[in-house]
Amino acid sequence: TQLLEQSPQFLSIQEGENLTVYCNSSSVFSSLQWYRQEPGEGPVLLVTVVTGGEVKKLKRLTFQFGDARKDSSLHITAAQPGDTGLYLCAGGGSNYKLTFGKGTLLTVNP
Amino acid sequence: NAGVTQTPKFQVLKTGQSMTLQCAQDMNHNSMYWYRQDPGMGLRLIYYSASEGTTDKGEVPNGYNVSRLNKREFSLRLESAAPSQTSVYFCASSIGGQVGQPQHFGDGTRLSIL
């Protein structure tokens, strides 16, 4: 069974601060996806990374896939209250299923 | 653009009652999924359907059944509800057929079993 460990589980910061969320596994994944979920809604895809060492940027968000494709990180620069939400990483294997981490609940205070 | 539509949005059941959660997607996706989300547990896969006509168990299938009615619709049934099945249920779909395809989620069904 493939497992994804996310850390930290909770993060509360002030507007303007930087933060990093980590997603780690002992298993190799073919792809790694990051989703953001707001209260009362389903998760929404932010990014997919498929190549070891790959870095993708989405405005103030930077996503990295580890060289061995076992880990990933999400870095947010100058966080804003609108970044508040549950961030989920999900690993894809050789089938159509995703393995989700337990999530990081981010609160950005004005 | 409806995407993935789940009904109902909220439901309260008594222990032992049965219920079917409905899910429909309008994106012509091949694969569909049912998850449950509990506090501190993340999203756990209940059942999935890689393509029309096929269904497979996920991580937590006990107490549930599914039907892939056609390409658009994938329903989840609780035959005899138990308090442990109190959760938020999400349906998702993806194009399928290729590694790394994103999943598109509905807004969930909040189910309470008394």
Side-chain angles (χ1 to χ4, degrees), chain A residues 89-104:
Chain A
C89 65
S94 57
N95 52 31
Y96 305 121
K97 299 188 293 186
L98 292 176
T99 298
F100 280 85
K102 294 182 179 180
T104 294

Side-chain angles (χ1 to χ4, degrees), chain A residues 9 30-31 33 35 37 40-43 45 48 86 88 93-94 96-98 100-102, chain B residues 33 35 37 40-43 45 48 50 90 96-97 99-103 105-107 110:
Chain A
Q9 188 176 357
S30 302
S31 68
Q33 299 176 4
Y35 291 80
Q37 184 179 17
E41 299 181 3
L45 180 74
T48 300
L86 179 67
L88 295 158
S94 57
Y96 305 121
K97 299 188 293 186
L98 292 176
F100 280 85
K102 294 182 179 180
Chain B
Y33 311 81
Y35 294 90
Q37 186 174 37
M41 298 296 292
L43 285 162
L45 183 65
Y48 71 104
F90 287 98
V99 168
Q101 292 296 330
Q103 293 188 7
F105 288 81
D107 285 337
R110 284 141 189 84

Side-chain angles (χ1 to χ4, degrees), chain A residues 29-52:
Chain A
F29 289 98
S30 302
S31 68
L32 202 295
Q33 299 176 4
W34 285 92
Y35 291 80
R36 179 165 159 253
Q37 184 179 17
E38 297 192 30
E41 299 181 3
V44 176
L45 180 74
L46 294 173
V47 76
T48 300
V49 284
V50 297
T51 305

Side-chain angles (χ1 to χ4, degrees), chain B:
Chain B
N1 293 335
V4 178
T5 302
Q6 291 184 236
T7 56
K9 294 189 185 302
F10 301 93
Q11 185 70 48
V12 178
L13 294 177
K14 295 181 179 179
T15 297
Q17 288 185 317
S18 62
M19 176 175 185
T20 299
L21 279 62
Q22 307 287 351
C23 175
Q25 53 90 9
D26 61 2
M27 295 173 283
N28 201 35
H29 284 173
N30 293 305
S31 302
M32 297 185 74
Y33 311 81
W34 275 106
Y35 294 90
R36 60 178 290 174
Q37 186 174 37
D38 302 293
M41 298 296 292
L43 285 162
R44 292 184 291 170
L45 183 65
I46 305 171
Y47 271 93
Y48 71 104
S49 172
S51 60
E52 185 179 358
T54 69
T55 60
D56 286 287
K57 295 178 180 180
E59 182 185 353
V60 288
N62 291 345
Y64 305 95
N65 286 302
V66 290
S67 295
R68 184 73 183 266
L69 305 170
N70 48 55
K71 191 171 185 179
R72 290 186 64 249
E73 298 172 287
F74 189 37
S75 62
L76 178 71
R77 183 162 178 84
L78 286 72
E79 289 291 352
S80 179
S84 61
Q85 294 178 305
T86 292
S87 188
V88 182
Y89 291 85
F90 287 98
C91 177
S93 69
S94 71
I95 295 175
Q98 191 173 354
V99 168
Q101 292 296 330
Q103 293 188 7
H104 300 259
F105 288 81
D107 285 337
T109 293
R110 284 141 189 84
L111 183 62
S112 294
I113 315 294
L114 304 177

Side-chain angles (χ1 to χ4, degrees), chain A residues 50-89:
Chain A
V50 297
T51 305
E54 183 175 3
V55 177
K56 280 192 174 180
K57 293 190 176 183
L58 186 65
K59 297 183 180 178
R60 293 176 294 100
L61 279 61
T62 301
F63 305 86
Q64 185 165 6
F65 200 12
D67 291 341
R69 291 185 290 138
K70 293 183 179 180
D71 56 270
S72 181
S73 64
L74 159 60
H75 182 78
I76 301 179
T77 303
Q80 299 177 359
D83 295 326
T84 293
L86 179 67
Y87 289 82
L88 295 158
C89 65

